[in-house]
Amino acid sequence: QVRLVESGGGLVQAGGSLRLACVTSGRDFSWDAMGWFRRPPGKETEFVARASWSGANTHYSDSVKGRFVISRDNAKNTIYLDMEKLRPEDTAVYYCNGPLSAQEVPGDYWGQGTQVTVSS
């Protein structure tokens, strides 16, 4: 059974930081691009960040570029999202996803999500 399990969400004040982690199991994603998506309250799910299989190449949505960093540790089957300078509009359920075949197109596998709430 393929599982993606996110953790690290929580309540933080504007300007604060959080680190999300996604641990995968049941399938080897080491050679796949992986990403993070989010669903703000009352809105559609949107792309946040993507990392190539090695993590050497990354891509971000304009709304998070310069504030969020995606990384991965394939030995630990873990993908990270470091979020800084958080804003109230970053409030959302954050999902780990893969494998991404195109730049911002999600793959077949999703985690259960982790809630991030940024207070003003």
Side-chain angles (χ1 to χ4, degrees):
Q1 180 182 4
V2 178
R3 296 190 69 198
L4 286 70
V5 180
E6 302 96 335
S7 62
L11 174 64
V12 63
Q13 289 189 331
S17 302
L18 282 175
R19 174 177 242 206
L20 306 184
C22 170
V23 179
T24 68
S25 61
R27 184 188 190 278
D28 183 6
F29 288 99
S30 298
W31 303 104
D32 295 312
M34 298 293 289
W36 289 92
F37 291 74
R38 68 185 181 186
R39 188 175 70 238
K43 297 184 179 181
E44 297 294 317
T45 301
E46 62 186 28
F47 168 80
V48 174
R50 177 183 191 270
S52 63
W53 69 272
S54 66
N57 294 308
T58 56
H59 173 65
Y60 301 93
S61 68
D62 288 343
S63 61
V64 308
K65 196 175 298 181
R67 300 187 298 120
F68 291 11
V69 175
I70 186 172
S71 61
R72 62 193 296 171
D73 185 339
N74 287 336
K76 295 182 178 180
N77 297 322
T78 304
I79 302 97
Y80 302 98
L81 187 68
D82 288 291
M83 307 185 294
E84 297 183 347
K85 301 176 183 178
L86 283 161
R87 305 167 180 169
E89 54 264 39
D90 294 318
T91 295
V93 179
Y94 283 72
Y95 298 91
C96 180
N97 176 269
L100 278 70
S101 58
Q103 195 75 305
E104 300 181 4
V105 177
D108 292 334
Y109 299 102
W110 294 89
Q112 84 288 350
T114 186
Q115 176 71 48
V116 171
T117 303
V118 184
S119 63
S120 58

